[in-house]
Amino acid sequence: CTYNLINQKHSPKYFQTLIVATGDQAGTLRLWDLRMAQKAAMSKQAHPGGAINEMKYSSTTCTFVTAGADKSIMVNDARMNMRTIVTFDSHKDFIYSLQVADNFIFSGSGDGMLLVHDIKTSELLYGLGANAAGVRCIEVTEQLLIAAGDDGN
């Protein structure tokens, strides 16, 4: 899983250089400064229970959000060397999809649930039975929340 932080709007100055984030099967989150390709600039065991499946950056909160096979979502403060500021353990199944809009996290899991968390208040706001099977894709606009999954809908 790879996320490019180069030239992201409102990124911390550290990320306005040549930074790329990766997550691996062991649950390790790494930030790479492409000018120093030999070694990761930062490495953190984010999801010890399994792979990092999705990663998103929130320019609103300057946080980096990861979803793992351990059924958890971690919110890491990009301004504080990726210190975890909140962990959400609301899902009961593997998290397949993740989207961040403003201070809201939208996540979909294998049991068809789509959950909405608030980064600023650290609360679970909504739980939607979005699909009969896994929620594989989520898209968020100012007016729409779109989810698709294994049930073909």
Side-chain angles (χ1 to χ4, degrees):
C1 199
T2 304
Y3 190 78
N4 184 353
L5 295 169
I6 299 169
N7 296 322
Q8 291 290 317
K9 186 178 179 184
H10 307 297
S11 295
K13 288 198 181 291
Y14 177 71
F15 288 157
Q16 291 176 357
T17 59
L18 300 172
I19 303 295
V20 173
T22 61
D24 66 18
Q25 290 293 320
T28 305
L29 171 65
R30 290 185 177 88
L31 293 183
W32 301 86
D33 184 336
L34 297 180
R35 297 168 298 178
M36 307 173 357
Q38 299 298 322
K39 185 179 175 190
M42 192 278 314
S43 181
K44 171 184 180 173
Q45 186 63 41
H47 293 273
I52 294 177
N53 194 45
E54 282 275 359
M55 300 183 286
K56 300 292 181 191
Y57 177 74
S58 170
S59 59
T60 303
T61 59
C62 289
T63 55
F64 198 76
V65 181
T66 61
D70 59 357
K71 305 174 191 169
S72 72
I73 297 169
M74 299 184 85
V75 181
N76 304 285
D77 193 325
R79 298 163 295 189
M80 299 174 67
N81 199 30
M82 297 304 233
R83 182 176 67 92
T84 301
I85 57 174
V86 66
T87 300
F88 296 110
D89 292 318
S90 307
H91 279 286
K92 295 178 182 168
D93 205 339
F94 185 92
I95 301 169
Y96 285 106
S97 52
L98 182 73
Q99 199 59 256
V100 177
D102 294 324
N103 57 300
F104 302 107
I105 300 169
F106 301 84
S107 56
S109 60
D111 59 2
M113 291 300 294
L114 191 153
L115 302 182
V116 182
H117 292 92
D118 188 322
I119 294 172
K120 290 183 179 178
T121 65
S122 303
E123 293 180 318
L124 171 63
L125 301 177
Y126 304 103
L128 308 169
N131 288 76
V135 179
R136 298 287 184 158
C137 301
I138 300 170
E139 187 58 52
V140 180
T141 70
E142 288 183 16
Q143 298 180 355
L144 296 173
L145 170 60
I146 303 163
D150 292 343
D151 64 358
N153 294 315

